[in-house]
C-alpha cells in the first residue's frame, strides 16, 4: 500500500489545531508535522482545508437486512463516507432483527466488503424487539456488536430493563435507550404545542420522553450500571441527565443535528420530512441542548440517520414514516449552527462528533496523532445547497432539501484510503 | 366577484375581505335555497366531485345539492367503494380524478392535512370538507353566516364554544374565522378535551367552567361529543358529562337574554345539548343547515369563477 501525505492542512483535534502535514503508512498515522518528506507517497494538497478525525456516529439505521429498498449497507456506508463518517453504530431494527450473532456477523462482513466505513452493530436487547426475553447479548458481543438497544421499540417492562442493564455489563457492553412512553405518545405525530394545535395534529408531550429517562437513570444508579440515552430533544431531558451525572450515575447521552437546528414549525404545511421521533421541539429546547453540549451534560451528537423510501414518506402526515436521512447533512448542520453560530469551537465539535462517541462505544478513532488509525476527513467552511436527489443515501427524506448550509466534506479517508471525494475538490 | 385562491383548505389563512365576499354571496344564494325555483345556471358546465373518506350525511348532501341547484355536473365517491380499498395512494387517487376534467374536488378525510397534500397535486380547486382534527372551513363559514344574520355582525360579540374542543375541526375553523372578524371566542369543556396548557389555540380565550364561558355570551355553541372518547379514558361517563358540560336551560340562562344556540350536528340529545334547548326557539340548528347549502353554493361559484 502506498503511503499518503496530506499537505497544508489545518489539523484539528479536540484539544487544539496545528497547520501542517500528516503522513499515513499502512493505514496508520505515521507523523504529523511541517514539511514532511513526500518521497514514495501519494500527495494530497489540502490547500488550507481542515483535516478532522473521522466522524463517529453512535446512532444510525442502515436498514439491511430486510429493508434494502430504503437503504442497504453499501448505499448507507457510502452516504456515511460522503458525510465524513468513518465509524457508525447501526440499530438492530432490521428484518430479521439483529438479535443473534448470525445477523450481527452478516452486517459486519457486508460492511467490510463495502469498505466505505466501519460499521459496529447494536444488538437487540430483547428477542425480536418484543420486550419479552433478553436476546443473546454475549454471543452478539463476540460477533462484533458493541452495545445493545431496542431503539424505537423501547423496553417498557421495568424489571426486564433492569435485567438488561445488569446483564450487558458482564460483556463490557451497555444499553442505549430510546426514551419513549408509548402510552403517552399514543397517536401523536409531532411536538405537543401551539403549532400542533393550529395544524390539528395530535401532539407528543415532553413527559413521553422525560418520564422513561427518569426511570432508566434511577435503574442505572441503583444497579451501578452504564446507560446511554439516545437523541434527547427537550430541556427537561438535559436537566434530568445533568443532575444524574452530578450524582455520579454512569450515564452518557447524545442529541442530533435536527434537534439542535430545527423546531416544530418545520411541520407547517404538513411536511412529512419533518416527522421524526422524538419530535422536533422548540427554540428554547435548542438553547438548552446547546447549553448541555457546552457544560458536558450532552456527550455526543449522533445523526439518527433514518432513511426512508419515497413511498413511505409521501401523503398523509399521520401515516408517513418517522425519521430523517442525516448522514450527508450532519456535519454541515452542526458546523453552521454551532461553529459558525459561535457556540462551539471546531475543537469542541470534534469532541462531540469524534472523540466522545468513540470513547462511549469503546472503538478506535476520534483523534489524529501518531499511531492512531488514519480515519479522517477534509472539510472547509464554504456554503453549499442541499440537494437530496444527489444524496448517496437511498433516503432522500430531509427537511433541509434546498437549504444552504456552511461546511463541505471534501474528502474522507478510511484507514488511509480515499473513500469519498467531493466532485469540486 | 371571484376569489383569487385556488383552494379553500381552512380559515386559518383566510382574509377578512374573503370572508366578507363569501358571506355576501351566500346571502344571495340563500334566496335560491329557500325560494320556489332551485335551479340557476351559475355552475353550468362545471364538474364537481365529492371525495369522502369518512361517512357523512349532511355535509355531503349539502355540497351535492349546492352543486345541483347551480346546474353543475356532480358526482360522489365514497372511499369505501373506490380504489382506495385496493391500496391506491391519496395522491394517485387525486390525480386520477383530476385527469377526468374536474373543476372542484370536495374532500373529507380522517387525517389532518390530507386536503393540503391533495391540493398540491391537482389542477382542480380543492375544498376541505373536514380533515381529521384540523379544520372544517365550510362549517365555520355557515356558522358565521348564521351569526351575521342574527346579530348583524361580529365585532365585540362573545361566542362560547363548549365541549370536545381538542378533537373538533369545527371549533378550529370557527375560532380562526370569528376572531379574524373581531368576535371574542371563549372555549370551555373538560380539561381532557381542551388543548393542553401552553398549547392553546392562539386568538381564543379559555374559561375554567362552562358557566363562565356562557355567562353574558351572545352565541353559545355546543360541540358533538364522540362517545368513543369515554373508552379512551377522556371522561368518566355520559351522565357526568351531561351534568357539568351540557347546554341545558339553566346553563343557557347565564347567557344574554337574546343569545342563541348553535350545534354543528348531528346532536347527542341529553349529552352535550338538552332537548329543551335544541327544540326551543333559541336554537338555530336547522337554519345552520340551510345556511350550509347557501355558503357552499357561494364558495363553489366564487372558486370556479377564478379563471373567468
Amino acid at each position: 500500500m502506498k503511503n499518503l501525505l496530506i499537505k497544508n492542512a489545518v489539523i484539528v483535534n479536540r484539544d487544539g489545531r496545528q497547520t501542517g502535514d500528516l503522513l499515513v503508512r499502512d493505514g496508520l498515522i505515521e507523523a504529523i508535522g511541517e514539511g514532511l518528506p513526500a518521497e514514495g507517497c501519494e500527495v494530497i494538497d489540502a490547500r488550507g482545508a481542515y483535516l478532522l478525525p473521522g466522524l463517529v456516529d453512535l446512532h444510525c439505521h442502515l436498514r439491511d437486512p430486510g429493508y434494502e429498498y430504503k437503504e442497504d449497507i453499501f448505499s448507507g456506508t457510502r452516504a456515511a463516507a460522503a458525510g465524513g463518517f468513518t465509524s457508525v453504530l447501526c440499530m438492530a431494527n432490521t428484518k430479521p432483527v439483529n438479535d443473534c450473532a448470525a445477523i450481527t456477523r452478516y452486517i459486519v462482513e457486508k460492511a467490510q466488503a463495502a469498505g466505505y466505513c466501519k460499521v459496529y452493530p447494536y444488538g437487540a436487547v430483547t428477542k425480536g424487539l418484543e420486550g419479552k426475553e433478553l436476546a443473546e447479548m454475549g454471543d452478539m458481543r463476540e460477533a462484533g456488536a458493541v452495545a445493545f438497544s431496542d431503539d424505537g421499540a423501547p423496553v417498557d417492562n421495568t424489571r426486564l430493563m433492569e435485567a438488561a442493564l445488569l446483564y450487558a455489563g458482564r460483556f463490557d457492553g451497555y444499553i442505549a435507550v430510546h426514551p419513549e412512553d408509548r402510552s403517552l405518545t399514543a397517536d401523536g405525530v409531532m411536538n405537543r404545542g401551539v403549532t400542533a394545535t393550529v395544524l390539528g395534529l395530535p401532539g407528543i408531550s415532553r413527559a413521553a420522553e422525560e418520564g422513561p429517562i427518569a426511570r432508566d437513570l434511577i435503574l442505572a444508579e441503583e444497579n451501578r450500571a452504564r446507560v446511554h440515552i439516545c437523541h434527547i430533544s427537550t430541556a427537561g431531558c438535559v436537566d434530568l441527565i445533568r443532575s444524574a451525572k452530578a450524582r455520579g450515575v454512569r450515564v452518557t447521552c447524545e442529541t442530533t443535528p435536527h434537534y439542535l437546528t430545527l423546531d416544530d414549525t418545520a411541520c407547517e404545511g404538513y411536511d412529512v420530512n419533518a416527522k421524526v421521533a422524538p419530535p422536533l421541539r422548540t427554540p428554547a429546547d435548542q438553547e438548552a441542548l446547546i447549553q448541555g453540549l457546552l457544560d458536558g451534560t450532552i456527550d455526543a451528537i449522533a445523526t439518527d440517520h433514518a432513511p426512508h423510501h419515497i413511498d413511505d414518506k409521501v401523503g398523509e402526515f399521520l401515516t408517513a414514516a418517522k425519521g430523517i436521512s442525516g448522514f450527508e447533512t450532519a456535519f454541515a448542520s452542526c458546523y453552521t449552527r454551532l461553529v459558525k453560530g459561535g457556540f462551539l469551537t471546531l475543537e469542541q465539535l470534534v469532541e462531540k462528533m469524534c472523540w466522545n462517541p468513540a470513547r462511549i462505544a469503546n472503538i478506535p478513532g476520534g483523534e489524529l496523532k501518531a499511531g492512531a488509525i488514519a480515519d479522517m476527513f477534509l472539510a472547509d467552511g464554504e456554503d453549499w445547497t442541499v440537494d437530496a436527489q444527489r444524496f448517496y443515501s437511498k433516503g432522500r427524506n430531509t427537511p433541509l432539501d434546498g437549504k444552504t448550509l456552511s461546511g463541505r466534506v471534501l474528502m474522507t479517508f478510511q484507514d488511509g484510503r480515499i473513500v469519498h471525494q467531493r466532485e469540486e475538490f | 366577484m371571484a376569489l383569487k385562491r385556488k383552494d379553500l383548505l381552512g380559515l386559518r389563512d383566510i382574509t377578512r375581505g374573503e370572508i366578507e365576499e363569501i358571506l355576501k354571496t351566500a346571502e344571495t344564494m340563500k334566496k335560491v335555497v329557500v325560494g320556489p325555483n332551485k335551479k340557476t345556471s351559475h355552475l353550468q358546465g362545471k364538474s364537481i366531485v365529492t371525495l369522502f373518506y369518512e361517512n357523512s350525511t349532511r355535509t355531503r348532501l349539502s355540497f351535492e345539492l349546492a352543486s345541483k341547484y347551480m346546474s353543475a355536473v356532480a358526482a360522489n365517491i365514497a372511499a369505501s367503494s373506490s380504489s382506495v380499498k385496493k391500496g391506491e395512494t391519496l395522491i394517485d387517487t387525486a390525480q386520477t380524478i383530476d385527469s377526468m376534467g374536474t373543476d372542484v374536488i370536495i374532500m373529507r378525510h380522517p387525517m389532518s392535512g390530507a386536503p393540503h397534500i391533495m391540493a398540491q397535486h391537482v389542477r382542480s380547486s380543492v375544498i376541505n370538507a373536514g380533515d381529521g382534527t384540523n379544520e372544517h372551513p365550510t362549517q365555520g363559514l355557515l356558522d358565521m353566516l348564521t351569526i351575521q344574520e342574527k346579530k348583524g355582525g361580529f365585532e365585540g360579540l362573545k361566542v362560547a364554544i363548549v365541549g370536545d374542543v381538542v378533537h373538533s375541526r369545527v371549533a378550529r375553523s370557527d375560532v380562526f374565522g370569528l376572531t379574524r372578524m373581531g368576535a371574542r371566542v371563549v372555549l370551555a369543556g373538560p380539561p381532557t378535551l381542551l388543548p393542553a396548557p401552553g398549547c392553546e389555540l392562539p386568538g381564543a380565550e379559555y374559561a375554567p367552567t362552562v358557566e363562565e364561558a356562557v355567562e353574558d355570551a351572545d352565541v353559545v355553541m355546543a360541540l358533538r361529543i364522540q362517545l368513543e372518547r369515554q373508552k379512551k379514558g377522556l371522561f368518566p361517563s355520559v351522565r357526568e358529562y351531561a351534568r357539568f358540560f351540557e347546554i341545558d336551560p339553566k346553563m343557557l340562562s347565564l347567557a344574554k337574554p337574546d343569545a342563541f344556540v348553535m350545534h354543528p350536528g348531528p346532536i347527542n340529545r341529553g349529552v352535550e345539548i338538552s332537548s329543551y334547548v335544541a327544540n326551543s326557539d333559541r336554537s338555530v340548528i336547522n337554519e345552520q343547515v340551510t345556511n350550509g347549502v347557501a355558503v357552499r353554493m357561494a364558495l363553489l361559484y366564487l372558486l370556479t369563477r377564478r379563471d373567468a
Side-chain angles (χ1 to χ4, degrees):
Chain A
M1 194 172 160
K2 210 171 175 188
N3 294 342
L4 176 75
L5 179 69
I6 299 171
K7 291 167 63 76
N8 303 319
V10 179
I11 299 160
V12 183
N13 273 301
R14 75 192 166 99
D15 53 2
R17 63 178 79 188
Q18 66 184 100
T19 302
D21 309 340
L22 183 147
L23 179 67
V24 178
R25 182 196 293 275
D26 299 330
L28 297 177
I29 298 170
E30 171 98 354
I32 296 174
E34 284 181 60
L36 296 179
E39 290 89 57
C41 290
E42 179 184 350
V43 178
I44 292 168
D45 186 353
R47 287 169 277 169
Y50 300 115
L51 183 61
L52 307 165
L55 302 174
V56 177
D57 191 1
L58 288 175
H59 196 138
C60 73
H61 299 266
L62 296 178
R63 307 294 190 208
D64 187 354
Y67 302 100
E68 295 86 350
Y69 75 103
K70 293 175 189 268
E71 190 85 290
D72 61 42
I73 288 171
F74 280 87
S75 65
T77 54
R78 180 69 188 86
F85 291 91
T86 53
S87 294
V88 301
L89 275 65
C90 62
M91 281 296 171
N93 60 339
T94 48
K95 194 167 81 180
V97 169
N98 181 20
D99 62 359
C100 64
I103 306 290
T104 306
R105 231 173 265 125
Y106 161 85
I107 295 168
V108 170
E109 286 170 9
K110 192 165 176 184
Q112 280 168 355
Y116 291 120
C117 177
K118 296 183 176 74
V119 173
Y120 300 94
Y122 275 103
V125 177
T126 67
K127 289 176 191 141
L129 305 177
E130 287 176 350
K132 290 181 184 148
E133 292 178 23
L134 294 181
E136 293 175 341
M137 293 191 221
D139 229 17
M140 288 189 280
R141 186 79 177 92
E142 277 186 0
V146 291
F148 303 93
S149 181
D150 280 1
D151 198 29
V155 181
D156 295 332
N157 183 300
T158 309
R159 170 72 195 99
L160 191 61
M161 185 62 192
E162 182 176 51
L165 287 167
L166 286 167
Y167 190 80
R170 157 66 182 78
F171 299 99
D172 197 22
Y174 60 93
I175 306 293
V177 177
H178 163 115
E180 179 177 351
D181 180 333
R182 285 179 283 178
S183 73
L184 270 177
T185 300
D187 54 359
V189 290
M190 67 173 288
N191 180 49
R192 186 160 93 174
V194 172
T195 306
T197 304
V198 167
L199 289 174
L201 289 171
I204 300 171
S205 67
R206 288 148 195 288
E209 183 174 353
E210 294 163 9
I213 291 179
R215 180 195 77 164
D216 292 341
L217 290 173
I218 292 165
L219 286 176
E221 181 167 25
E222 182 163 352
N223 294 288
R224 293 175 207 157
R226 218 187 123 187
V227 68
H228 177 77
I229 311 293
C230 296
H231 47 52
I232 62 169
S233 72
T234 74
C237 297
V238 179
D239 288 342
L240 282 166
I241 294 165
R242 182 181 291 125
S243 75
K245 283 191 166 182
R247 295 196 305 276
V249 179
R250 297 172 66 202
V251 57
T252 52
C253 73
E254 72 197 27
T255 187
T256 75
H258 43 273
Y259 302 124
L260 291 164
T261 55
L262 298 168
D263 62 53
D264 59 359
T265 59
C267 300
E268 283 279 4
Y270 303 93
D271 181 0
V272 292
N273 286 322
K275 182 177 174 184
V276 60
L280 300 176
R281 304 287 187 179
T282 68
D285 292 300
Q286 290 175 14
E287 282 172 32
L289 292 171
I290 291 172
Q291 192 52 46
L293 285 169
L294 287 170
D295 70 17
T297 302
I298 301 176
D299 303 278
I301 300 171
T303 64
D304 196 6
H305 174 72
H308 285 293
H309 191 273
I310 185 172
D311 289 348
D312 300 325
K313 267 290 193 186
V314 75
E316 300 90 325
F317 197 95
L318 280 101
T319 51
K322 295 169 286 196
I324 291 172
S325 181
F327 279 152
E328 292 166 77
T329 54
F331 174 72
S333 286
C334 293
Y335 184 85
T336 308
R337 171 79 163 133
L338 301 175
V339 179
K340 214 177 155 194
F343 297 106
L344 263 64
T345 61
L346 196 52
E347 285 84 346
Q348 287 171 307
L349 190 63
V350 165
E351 179 171 273
K352 302 298 181 185
M353 296 187 82
C354 311
W355 173 262
N356 282 350
R359 300 293 79 77
I360 289 168
N362 194 20
I363 57 176
E367 61 180 337
L368 300 177
K369 67 167 190 191
I373 54 167
D375 284 3
M376 53 202 178
F377 73 112
L378 278 171
D380 65 17
E382 295 301 307
D383 288 357
W384 61 288
T385 301
V386 179
D387 178 0
Q389 295 312 311
R390 295 183 63 195
F391 276 4
Y392 291 93
S393 171
K394 291 183 188 177
R396 278 80 201 266
N397 46 302
T398 173
L400 300 175
D401 197 19
K403 299 261 182 354
T404 296
L405 300 174
S406 306
R408 303 185 302 172
V409 175
L410 304 172
M411 218 177 220
T412 307
F413 306 88
Q414 177 82 205
D415 298 313
R417 281 180 301 115
I418 298 170
V419 289
H420 171 73
Q421 181 164 8
R422 194 180 172 89
E423 280 167 33
E424 304 95 285
F425 186 68
Chain B
M1 283 189 299
L3 289 175
K4 296 261 192 306
R5 59 176 60 238
K6 169 177 164 286
D7 311 298
L8 182 73
L9 303 174
L11 300 189
R12 184 184 168 199
D13 64 347
I14 201 167
T15 65
R16 208 179 159 109
E18 285 177 305
I19 292 174
E20 283 165 355
E21 182 162 5
I22 295 165
L23 296 185
K24 197 167 144 219
T25 311
E27 283 172 1
T28 312
M29 295 300 181
K30 189 170 180 181
K31 292 178 187 135
V32 178
V33 184
V34 299
N37 178 11
K38 297 179 211 309
K39 200 75 172 174
T40 76
S41 58
H42 286 101
L43 295 183
Q44 183 92 48
K46 298 292 180 189
S47 167
I48 292 168
V49 166
T50 57
L51 172 62
F52 274 50
Y53 288 82
E54 256 183 11
N55 290 334
S56 157
T57 313
R58 66 183 62 212
T59 304
R60 212 183 84 175
L61 183 60
S62 181
F63 270 111
E64 188 175 349
L65 290 176
S67 308
K68 289 181 171 168
Y69 288 170
M70 296 193 292
S71 307
V73 177
N76 295 314
I77 305 169
S80 55
S81 64
S82 78
S83 56
V84 175
K85 280 262 157 104
K86 300 174 200 156
E88 189 173 60
T89 69
L90 177 67
I91 293 165
D92 288 340
T93 304
Q95 292 181 338
T96 303
I97 296 169
D98 199 44
S99 302
M100 294 186 193
T102 51
D103 296 290
V104 183
I105 301 173
I106 296 155
M107 180 190 192
R108 170 166 288 190
H109 199 284
M111 296 183 195
S112 301
H116 304 65
I117 292 151
M118 174 173 265
Q120 289 163 17
H121 292 90
V122 296
R123 176 193 41 77
S124 307
S125 292
V126 175
I127 297 177
N128 180 2
D131 63 323
T133 52
N134 180 36
E135 282 219 51
H136 192 354
T138 57
Q139 179 73 41
L141 289 165
L142 75 87
D143 289 340
M144 294 174 75
L145 179 61
T146 309
I147 292 169
Q148 181 172 272
E149 282 180 348
K150 297 281 163 194
K151 297 289 173 191
F154 302 97
E155 206 67 53
L157 289 183
K158 179 183 181 186
V159 180
I161 301 181
V162 175
D164 185 2
V165 171
V166 77
H167 297 103
S168 175
R169 51 199 180 204
V170 176
R172 230 175 228 86
S173 288
D174 278 326
V175 167
F176 292 137
L178 287 167
T179 56
R180 179 91 9 103
M181 299 305 284
R184 279 177 66 203
V185 180
V186 184
L187 306 172
T192 45
L193 297 175
L194 293 174
C199 308
E200 289 90 352
L201 203 55
E205 299 167 40
Y206 294 80
T209 63
V210 178
E211 283 81 355
E212 282 178 57
V214 170
E215 191 174 13
D216 288 324
D218 299 281
V219 181
V220 177
M221 184 184 301
L223 297 171
R224 178 177 171 79
I225 176 89
Q226 290 192 343
L227 302 178
E228 307 87 88
R229 309 280 180 227
Q230 182 183 329
K231 294 200 189 79
K232 283 197 166 179
L234 295 175
F235 66 93
S237 66
V238 164
R239 179 185 159 278
E240 179 156 305
Y241 188 91
R243 195 175 151 211
F244 291 98
F245 306 104
E246 185 188 38
I247 304 300
D248 60 10
K250 184 161 164 259
M251 191 73 84
L252 188 56
S253 70
L254 300 172
K256 285 193 182 149
D258 61 346
F260 60 91
V261 177
M262 304 174 78
H263 190 295
I267 65 178
N268 291 307
R269 290 173 180 270
V271 185
E272 72 264 0
I273 187 166
S274 101
S275 282
Y276 296 108
V277 171
N279 298 346
S280 75
D281 57 7
R282 309 277 294 272
S283 158
V284 295
I285 295 171
N286 292 331
E287 284 172 76
Q288 286 176 270
V289 176
T290 307
N291 286 341
V293 181
V295 155
R296 288 167 182 127
M297 287 172 75
L299 205 53
L300 288 169
Y301 174 64
L302 293 170
L303 285 176
T304 51
R305 268 177 62 83
R306 110 193 113 92
D307 317 314

